[in-house]
Every structure is written in structure tokens, then in C-alpha cells.
Amino acid sequence: MTFHASILTLYPDMFPGPLGASLAGEGLRSGLWSLDTHQIRDHGIGRHRNVDDNPAGGGAGMVLRCDVLAAAIDAAVPAEDPRPRLLMSPRGRRLDQRMVRDFVAGEGVVIVCGRFEGVDERVIEGRGLTEVSIGDYILSGGEMAAMVLLDACVRLIPGVMGKQASGQEESFENGLLEYPHYTRPREWEGRGLPEALLSGDHARIARWRREQAEKITRERRPDLLKP
Ligand code: SAH
């Protein structure tokens, strides 16, 4: 079973973009995951293929039409497709590592990328879209948010990262931020290496890393420590 991403967007040319580089790109080319894009405008209205209109009730900006988006979704994914249908949205549940793991455990994701002021609310319910945010700030469109979500997923797919998938030791995996890393040279601009890391004593190293992770988490993200 591979991870399959379907993206609905007004800018399909943006994909795979950065996801075509490095290990994610190799994984894409070797079939460890796959990506298809669907142009929402193909389902636009009339000769000009209109996809948006003025907000009901007035106000600035434009809103993506529900009928156009629904037609695009219906054409791109069969009703029985088991993958979650996500709408990138600043109002959504904030993406975290647990959600990423859940997506990777399934067969992939369908992602609708918003633009303008957003999408007509009725299509969210009508097509069972789950809103997902990547953080408390406003982007100009959902495409880069979708790429962030996909990058976080793809690196967890077995085979994509090879040995680098340190998995369990990374930030958030155990509810802590990660301990600090060091490598060569042994001394740099008068700074040495932490004593414990030179000891060769694996239990001591593990203990030191755990203490550091707890200290950094307490200092920077005490919210992660709350039950
Ligand atoms: N008027 C909206 C913002 C629209 S931004 C509001 O105030 O909530 C345009 C599109 O960019 C959105 O429809 C969404 O798809 C995407 N987007 C913007 N910020 C995002 C974020 N933090 N996370 C995920 N998607 C975001």
C-alpha cells in the first residue's frame, strides 16, 4: 500500500515543487508515494471558467464557489475513496506530528487548496471536508500549506528517508523537544563537546540526552509537558 496524495488547486504547476527535490522527490520517482493534481478551474462556470464570486452579504475579496469545488472534488475522487478529504484553512485543527502519523497510517490524503477569502462554507459540509491549519498566520493560498503537510507525511513513509528516519527520537515523538546535536570537530572556536557524549557510556549518554530534552522542553515549550 502506498501513500497517495490528490491535490485540488487553481495552481497545479506549483506541484510537486519542493516535494520533487531531495529524498521526497526520489521517493516520488521510485513510487514510494504518488501525487496527482486537479485543476479546479476545469470545473469553472461559463466561457471564462469562473471559480469565484463576491461574498454573500457583501465585503471585500472573493469566495470559491461551492458548486465548482464540489464538481472538482467529485471528478477527482470517487465517493468511496477512503482517504480523508482535507481543506487547508487557518480555521482548521492545527497540524501536529500525531495527525501526520495518522495520515501516513492510511492510504493518503485528498487536499483542497483554498484561495482568495476562502471557500463557500456549504461545500465543507456537503463534501465532508476536514479543515487543517499549519499555524496561526495567513497564507495567500492553501498550496504551500498542503506541501508542508505532505512533506511531514512523506518523510515517514518507509523507505523514503532510509537510515535517517530516526523516528522515535525526534522532537514531539515522545512529547518532548529534541536534545542538542553535536558532531566533529571535537573543539571549535574554544567550544568543546559535552562531557557525557565523550564517555562512551551508552546509558549515561541516553540519560544526558533525556535530561537535555526535558530541560529544553521546560524552557521553550512548557505546554508540551502538561498532561
Ligand atoms: N479569509 C481567510 C483566509 C484566507 S487565506 C481567513 O481569515 O480565515 C486563503 C487560503 O489560504 C485559505 O482558503 C487556505 O486554503 C489557505 N491558508 C491560509 N492560511 C493558512 C494556514 N495557516 N493553514 C492552512 N491553510 C491556510
Side-chain angles (χ1 to χ4, degrees):
M1 190 178 73
T2 62
F3 184 91
H4 187 53
S6 296
I7 312 289
L8 287 88
T9 170
L10 288 168
Y11 300 95
D13 291 350
M14 288 176 75
F15 293 88
L19 298 171
S22 192
L23 298 174
E26 280 169 38
L28 184 58
R29 286 182 289 277
S30 67
L32 289 174
W33 68 288
S34 64
L35 174 74
D36 52 62
T37 54
H38 303 269
Q39 171 57 277
I40 294 168
R41 195 170 296 283
D42 290 348
H43 304 274
I45 309 289
R47 198 158 62 84
H48 296 291
R49 299 257 168 237
N50 285 330
V51 296
D52 56 338
D53 213 326
N54 301 309
M62 300 296 270
V63 176
L64 273 166
R65 291 176 60 124
C66 51
D67 51 353
V68 171
L69 263 186
I73 294 168
D74 294 345
V77 285
E80 65 277 11
D81 193 311
R83 294 174 295 165
R85 298 165 172 214
L86 311 179
L87 171 67
M88 302 318 297
S89 158
R91 299 188 321 186
R93 175 153 162 227
R94 184 118 51 99
L95 184 68
D96 61 23
Q97 194 64 12
R98 180 182 301 188
M99 289 160 73
V100 169
R101 286 220 171 267
D102 284 347
F103 293 144
V104 176
E107 293 175 30
V109 287
V110 176
I111 305 181
V112 178
C113 301
R115 276 275 157 178
F116 321 120
E117 286 308 315
V119 311
D120 186 312
E121 187 74 18
R122 291 170 291 180
V123 75
I124 300 176
E125 206 181 304
R127 288 299 177 274
L129 304 181
T130 302
E131 294 176 81
V132 177
S133 166
I134 64 162
D136 294 343
Y137 40 80
I138 306 297
L139 303 168
S140 51
E143 287 78 11
M144 285 198 253
M147 288 177 201
V148 166
L149 186 153
L150 287 180
D151 184 78
C153 289
V154 164
R155 62 188 295 288
L156 295 180
I157 295 168
V160 168
M161 297 276 289
K163 262 189 161 175
Q164 292 174 57
S166 35
Q168 302 312 310
E169 293 212 358
E170 276 169 335
S171 287
F172 309 119
E173 289 293 355
N174 50 10
L176 297 173
L177 300 178
E178 201 178 42
Y179 52 80
H181 295 290
Y182 297 89
T183 182
R184 279 187 261 274
R186 178 150 175 184
E187 182 146 337
W188 178 72
E189 295 189 349
R191 294 157 204 262
L193 294 176
E195 179 60 35
L197 299 183
L198 299 169
S199 68
D201 175 345
H202 293 297
R204 184 174 165 207
I205 293 169
R207 202 177 336 114
W208 181 85
R209 286 181 169 161
R210 175 86 197 174
E211 285 162 9
Q212 291 293 313
E214 286 169 359
K215 177 167 173 280
I216 289 170
T217 309
R218 245 187 336 269
E219 287 167 4
R220 300 186 189 179
R221 292 292 305 278
D223 57 296
L224 293 177
L225 297 171
K226 292 190 187 114

